[in-house]
Structures are given as C-alpha cells and as structure tokens.
C-alpha cells in the first residue's frame, strides 16, 4: 500500500498502481469530472499514470489555469501533427512544443511546403480528431525500439533524434487511439486523458513559416504551422481581439502613418528618426533629465569604442563577445580594393554593448572618499549589440540603442536606501506614463561570478529595499524568479502592463559587487583603508527606442499632448480666414506649443480625417465667423464634438494641457 498526502494534509492509503484519476473518483464525481492532471511531489503528470511510491498529490483542474493551458496547448500540437499526417500522407513529423499563447509543429512535407491556404482543412481535421475523443496513452520504450519504429515509418528526423538519446533513460511515447493504426509521437508529456478533453472551438491555426531542422541553417528547411490554443472559446475570442487590437497599434505601422521613423536594409537594426519622431525622443530625454537631476544624478558621456583588454577585464569579452561588434585597431588599406586592412594584425576593439565599464573608469579618476558616496553617474548612452537579423523587430529589438543608464557607487550601508529610493523614482515615472507594473526579483543564475556569500547579501538587500518601498506584495505583482539574474548580479525587474494587457519588461536595478572588484574600483573608508564600492546598475526606460515603441502601442498613437510631435493644427474652412489662422498659430507658438497650419484648398472634413489619422490631439477650425468673433472651433482627437473657444482662453487651455506631468 502507498501513503498519498493530499493538499489539506489528509493521507489516503491506496494500492500500488492506483492512479490520480482513481483518487479523484473516490473523493467525488464532481472532482473526477473536473480533474485533468496531477502534481505528484510537485511534478505535473498524466491523470491516468499509476502512482509508484508514497507521494504528495494535488489534482489539477481548469482552475489551475497555467497548468491547464500548458497541457491543452501541448495536446493541440499533437492533434495538429496527427491531422497533417492524415491529410498529407508521407509528411514527416519533427517537434511541436507549447508556446506562451499557443503551439506550433515543424513538418517535413513530402511534396511541397505548406501554405496558409492549407490551414482551414487542417483545422477541420483537428476538430474531427477531437470529436473522436481518442485516448492519449503513455508508453515507455527503449531507445532501440524508438529508432526501429521511426526508421520503419520513414520518420528520418525522429530516428536521428532518437539515436542521440542517452542509453538507459526512460523514454516515453504517447499513442493517440488504440490498435496498430494508432498515431504515435515521441514525447515527455504529460497530456490530457484524451483528445476529447480539448475544446474544439478554442483553437485557431494562425500562420505558416519556414524553420530549419534543429534551428541550423545548414539543415533541411521545414514547414512550421503555428496555432493559438485556449481552454474555451471565450478565452480564444479575447485573445484574437487582443491580436487584432495589437495589429492596429503596431508601432511600425503607426510610425509610418505618423511619419516618426523608418528602418532600412542599409542599417540593419538601427533607426532613422524623422523630425516628428525625434521631437518625441527629445521630450522623453528632457523629462528624464529633470527626473535624474532632481534625484541627485550627475550626467556623463563615455566613448563608443574601447580596447578589447577593457572588455576582457570586465568579463564581457568572455561571456558576451558573440553579441559585440568587434573591430580591428588598424589603419584601413587604401591601396588594394580587395583587402580592407593593411596587415590584419591590429589589436581588437569593440563598440560598447553597455555603459557600466566606462562608468567605473570615470569613478577611478582621482581618489574617492567614503564621504563622496553615493556617486550617481547617469548617461544617455548609445550602445550596440550584434543581434541576429531574424530577431530584429522595429523599435522593440534593435542593434543600436540609447539607454537611460545610470550606475550608483555606494557603501555597503547605503545599498538598501539607494535601492529603495530608486523603486520610488521608477514608481513616479511609470505612473506619469499611465502604466501599472509588477516588480520581480531575478535570482542567481547557474553561471555567475562572485561568491555565494556576496550573492546572498545582494539578493537580501534588493528584497529589503522593495519591502521598505512597500512594494513586496500582490498589489505590485511581487515575485521572485530563480536563475534569471545576470552573471554578475541579481536584479529587480519592472514589468509594465499596457492598455491591452500585454506585459513589457523595462526597468532594472542590479546590485553588483563583481565589476568593481574586476575593474579595481575603490574608495578610502573612514578607517583610512581602501574599500570596494558596490555598484547599482539601473535603468527606467530601458532603452529610448523600445520605450518609445511601447508608448506608441500603449496609446495607439494618440500620445499624451506633452509628447505629441504636433500638438495642434489650425485648419481653415475658407481662404478668407488664412490670415486669422496664422494669427492663432502665432499666439500658440508664443505659448510654447508645437503648431502647424493647414491652409489648403480642401474640404474641412478631408482635413479633419487626415489630421485624425496623423493622431494630432487638437484640430483648431477657423472660418470667417471665427475670424470676425476672435474664436476657434476646437475638435479634440477621439471626439465628434467641437467647442467654440475664445482665442485667449484657448491659448491658456492648451498651454496647461501640454505641460509634462512632472511640471503640471
């Protein structure tokens, strides 16, 4: 007999071979129907997998949404693969994992790559399989059994993978259906009890793309079919609505419509900012400077290129070089068009991927006393990282970017207070932009520098700072993330939630004792001896490019008035009002507003539509009557109503509305 401990602390004595499904049925028919899987000693398992030893048991239902979604999405991937092989005989299967919002599966088609025109038929076949309610049966096979099976069926990709699995490891397959014709896939599991546990109306196949076998461009090109999968149709509909809304808010589309920026092949991953886009940048930069000046930071500027020896000393050359742009310190060859370098033997240098080593070098200039600390160095630092071409995505992932970066050099006794003050600074800034957020603590990774004692101390300090700031609670989404810290320090992360519920990891704060040691930073303590400062790495926007992209999507282009590149357009109804329109624009410009005039010989409805698409927050319409009366018809973006306002009143109203939130 086995002793099985339930979440309420009760213990059930059951025969060896009893399944979690049997225990659910013994508790009651409602639970037997609702239970879809089990956690056995914390491990997620099939509901029908027999228990082998004394264990703790928690039954999983759809209320355990994270587990339930992962199971469902894994099952949808298997059903997709079975459906494709039913419809397209000779297609080879490879792998198909669950993803954050769905699933995908990679196939090697027999005749041609799959296209999106194939998706409706595949969806219909998937629904037929779900309706059959095929049992999903776990079986343990030997490695040789797997190899023989895949070779017999012509599944060369699966056979290759099976041949690399370790001898003696428990290898599992899942059989969909019964008998010799049952569909089979190699998989760790777990799965739902049967395909019928899936909601046939809660998934949708979304797109097709190419993918290399095992991610290697030297291998065969496969067809990858993506889908999104949920527990019910309501969740699916909500997700599809979010996708539709996200497409409308895509910063690349809006950036083009609003004439903010563009990207092109000649500068992969670098942004060409247009005048209107750079106006937004400048407003963000001015806002951040006011914030950091008030918080006691000193702004610095450091070189773009530094010698490789500096990056070796910091540790980046060994752990980050694949992401760095490395350049030779050698005069280019001007005599031979085919050879860009004279000798090819120059020393190596690199474009900086981050600002922190350079800030340590500034700290090291001159002798620092304990009385000088904390020292807060801030830089709008331009950095370069060698991201793969395929990973680049508009403003969200680029190769050249500017960080709102700062490093606080402080004594041991100052760390918690400096970290607490930063938490409160970040809180004010994110709220000014209308974001809610969660705070998370990323803990030590497997590969790291520094002693265990230093990591213990650094993690405890950040934890205490968040507690002192009153943010280590559910209201702020407080969570600790094992293994997700940087190689040199644990870090606090700020995850913003935007207007359609997406999250973006933006701000960070890292407590670092490694880099000051590696780069020999020191100060003279009260005892007259040399001491190492602790270095707090911190950013709030993260990068200007990405933060601006997030803002565009969060506001769907309808930026707050203080950020809008054009804050008002004065548009005429008739040419007789041209002179008055110029007068209105002049008065608004005197008040510091960014204003344009539209005096074209076009109908006013055309002008309204055009400037609405450009997301201009205020359209000021003037005709002969407004000119005679000294008024303006004010139309605000997103409203069908107009307000007749006197010119002097309008100037004061818009001047107040255009104030940045920290000055309002």
């Amino acid at each position: 007999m086995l002793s099985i401990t339930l979440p309420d602390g009760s213990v059930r004595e059951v025969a060896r071979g009893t399944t979690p499904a049997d225990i659910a049925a013994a508790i009651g028919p409602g639970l037997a129907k609702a239970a879809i899987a089990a956690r056995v000693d914390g491990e997620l398992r099939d509901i029908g997998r027999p228990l082998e030893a004394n264990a703790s048991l928690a039954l999983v239902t759809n209320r355990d949404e994270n587990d339930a979604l992962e199971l469902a999405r894994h099952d949808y991937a298997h059903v997709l693969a079975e459906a494709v092989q039913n419809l397209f005989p000779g297609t080879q299967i490879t792998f198909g994992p669950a993803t954050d919002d769905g699933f995908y599966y990679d196939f090697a088609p027999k005749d041609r790559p799959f296209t999106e025109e194939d998706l409706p038929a595949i969806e219909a076949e998937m629904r037929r399989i779900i309706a059959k309610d095929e049992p999903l049966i776990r079986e343990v096979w030997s490695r040789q059994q797997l190899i023989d099976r895949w070779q017999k069926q012509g599944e060369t990709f699966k056979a290759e993978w099976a041949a690399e699995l370790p001898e003696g490891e428990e290898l599992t397959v899942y059989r969909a259906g019964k008998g010799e014709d049952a569909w089979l896939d190699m998989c760790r599991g777990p799965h739902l009890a049967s395909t019928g546990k899936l909601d046939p109306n809660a998934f949708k196949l979304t797109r097709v793309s190419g993918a290399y076998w095992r991610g290697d461009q030297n291998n065969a090109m496969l067809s990858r079919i993506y889908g999104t999968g949920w527990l019910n149709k309501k969740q699916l509909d909500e997700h599809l609505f979010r996708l539709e809304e996200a497409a409308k808010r895509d910063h690349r589309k809006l950036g083009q419509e609003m004439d903010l920026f563009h990207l092109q092949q000649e500068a992969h991953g670098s942004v060409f900012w247009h005048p209107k886009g750079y106006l937004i940048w400048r407003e963000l930069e001015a806002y951040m400077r006011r914030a950091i000046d008030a918080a006691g930071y000193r702004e610095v500027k450091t070189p773009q290129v530094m010698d490789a020896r500096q990056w070796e000393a910091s540790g980046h050359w060994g752990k980050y070089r694949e992401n760095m742009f490395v350049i030779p310190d050698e005069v280019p060859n001007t005599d031979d068009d085919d050879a860009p370098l004279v000798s090819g033997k120059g020393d190596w240098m690199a474009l900086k991927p981050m600002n922190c080593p350079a800030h340590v070098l500034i700290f090291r200039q001159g002798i620092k006393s304990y009385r000088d600390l904390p020292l807060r160095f801030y830089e709008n630092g331009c950095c370069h990282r060698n991201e793969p071409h395929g990973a680049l995505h508009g403003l969200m992932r680029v190769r050249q970017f500017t960080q709102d970066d700062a490093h606080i050099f402080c004594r041991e006794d100052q760390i918690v207070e400096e970290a607490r003050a930063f938490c409160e600074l970040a809180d004010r800034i994110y709220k000014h932009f209308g974001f809610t957020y969660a705070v998370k603590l990323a803990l030590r990774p497997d590969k790291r520098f520094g002693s265990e004692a230093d990591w213990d101390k650094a993690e405890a300090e950040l934890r205490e700072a968040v507690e002192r700031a009153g943010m280590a609670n559910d209201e702020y989404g407080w969570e600790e993330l094992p293994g997700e810290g940087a190689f040199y320090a644990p870090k606090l992360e700020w995850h913003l939630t935007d207007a359609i519920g997406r999250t973006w990891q933006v701000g960070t704060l890292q407590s670092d004792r490694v880099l000051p040691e590696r780069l020999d930073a020191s100060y003279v303590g009260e005892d007259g001896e040399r001491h190492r400062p602790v270095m707090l790495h911190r950013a709030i926007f993260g990068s200007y490019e990405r933060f601006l992209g997030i803002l565009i999507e969060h506001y769907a282009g309808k930026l707050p008035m203080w950020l809008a590149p054009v804050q008002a357009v004065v548009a005429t109804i008739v040419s007789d009002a041209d002179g008055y329109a110029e007068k209105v624009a002049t008065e608004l410009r005197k008040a510091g507003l960014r204003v344009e005039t539209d005096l074209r010989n076009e109908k006013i409805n055309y002008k309204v539509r055009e400037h609405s698409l450009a997301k201009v927050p205020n359209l000021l319409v003037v005709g002969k009557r407004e000119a005679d009366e000294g008024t303006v018809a004010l139309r605000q973006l997103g409203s069908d109503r107009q307000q007749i306002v006197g010119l002097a009143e309008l100037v004061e109203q818009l001047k107040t509305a255009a104030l940045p939130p920290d000055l309002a």
Side-chain angles (χ1 to χ4, degrees), residues 239-468:
H239 174 71
L240 294 177
F241 174 78
R242 286 194 299 271
L243 288 181
E244 183 181 345
E245 191 62 29
K248 293 177 187 175
R249 293 167 179 262
D250 191 314
H251 71 281
R252 296 165 298 179
K253 170 178 170 287
L254 290 171
Q256 184 175 5
E257 291 175 0
M258 297 170 68
D259 191 25
L260 302 181
F261 66 89
H262 82 275
L263 300 108
Q264 63 184 69
Q265 295 292 324
E266 287 78 3
H268 272 297
S270 298
V271 184
F272 294 82
W273 289 102
H274 298 189
K276 289 180 179 177
Y278 201 57
L279 269 170
I280 305 172
W281 179 297
R282 288 172 55 191
E283 286 293 333
L284 288 176
E285 201 170 49
Y287 169 90
M288 185 55 76
R289 279 202 172 96
R290 291 192 298 270
I292 61 108
D293 286 349
Y297 289 79
R298 303 178 186 183
E299 189 165 1
V300 299
K301 193 71 177 171
T302 59
Q304 284 289 295
V305 180
M306 291 200 300
D307 192 284
R309 285 182 285 268
Q310 178 65 23
W311 299 110
E312 287 172 358
S314 71
H316 292 91
W317 195 254
K319 290 187 175 291
Y320 203 76
R321 185 170 48 187
E322 69 274 12
N323 296 111
M324 297 170 71
F325 286 102
V326 178
I327 54 178
D329 185 11
E330 185 173 345
V331 177
N333 179 17
T334 58
D335 298 327
D336 185 350
D337 291 341
D338 294 330
L341 302 178
V342 175
S343 69
K345 298 178 182 178
D347 290 335
W348 289 109
M349 304 186 77
L351 286 169
K352 65 175 179 181
M354 53 199 65
N355 303 299
C356 32
H359 288 191
V360 177
L361 297 184
I362 293 178
F363 179 86
R364 286 176 50 188
Q365 293 299 300
I367 297 172
K368 301 296 187 296
S369 162
Y370 70 95
R371 293 188 184 91
D372 297 322
L373 305 184
L375 270 176
R376 307 178 187 98
F377 291 151
Y378 175 87
E379 179 172 10
N380 286 316
C382 181
C383 299
H384 292 77
R385 294 182 186 173
N386 193 1
E387 303 281 2
H389 287 195
L392 301 175
H393 179 72
L395 301 179
M396 302 304 193
R397 193 162 183 183
V398 292
R399 287 176 147 189
Q400 176 185 295
F401 57 94
T402 299
Q403 292 181 310
D404 65 313
D405 202 11
H407 297 91
I408 303 170
F409 297 87
C410 58
R411 306 189 308 262
E412 294 276 347
D413 62 302
Q414 296 171 325
I415 296 169
V416 174
E417 178 56 26
E418 286 297 312
R420 181 203 60 79
F422 176 75
C423 289
E424 294 180 353
L425 175 63
D427 178 72
R428 288 194 298 276
I429 289 174
Y430 293 141
K431 286 178 178 173
H432 278 161
F433 289 92
F435 288 113
T436 58
Y437 64 84
V439 186
K440 302 180 188 296
L441 175 57
L443 304 173
R444 69 197 75 186
D446 292 335
K447 295 181 179 179
R448 57 185 179 268
F449 287 147
S451 69
E452 293 303 293
D454 280 349
W455 278 91
D456 289 342
K457 195 183 300 184
E459 291 173 355
E461 288 159 348
L462 294 184
R463 192 178 290 115
E464 183 181 349
V466 178
E467 289 169 355
R468 286 197 193 179

Side-chain angles (χ1 to χ4, degrees), residues 584-662:
V584 171
T586 298
E587 292 301 310
L588 290 168
R589 289 186 187 115
K590 285 180 184 177
L593 291 154
R594 298 185 287 272
V595 184
E596 294 180 354
T597 57
D598 187 345
L599 311 180
R600 295 173 299 166
N601 184 24
E602 298 283 358
K603 291 183 179 180
I604 191 60
N605 286 342
Y606 176 84
K607 295 180 181 181
V608 169
R609 281 195 302 274
E610 190 172 83
H611 296 301
S612 295
L613 283 173
K615 306 296 188 290
V616 177
N618 299 287
L619 185 61
L620 314 177
V621 179
V622 295
K624 190 173 185 309
R625 184 175 68 178
E626 286 78 16
D628 291 342
E629 297 176 355
T631 60
V632 172
L634 169 62
R635 291 171 177 250
Q636 293 184 312
L637 185 63
S639 173
D640 294 331
R641 300 174 58 189
Q642 71 175 25
Q643 176 187 2
I644 305 300
V645 187
L647 179 54
E649 180 187 349
L650 175 77
V651 171
E652 287 304 311
Q653 181 177 330
L654 296 189
K655 181 179 176 182
T656 300
L659 282 173
D662 60 317

Side-chain angles (χ1 to χ4, degrees), residues 74-91:
H74 199 170
D75 282 17
Y76 280 126
H78 276 237
V79 171
L80 165 61
E82 182 180 353
V84 166
Q85 289 199 308
N86 288 348
L87 293 174
F88 303 95
T91 297

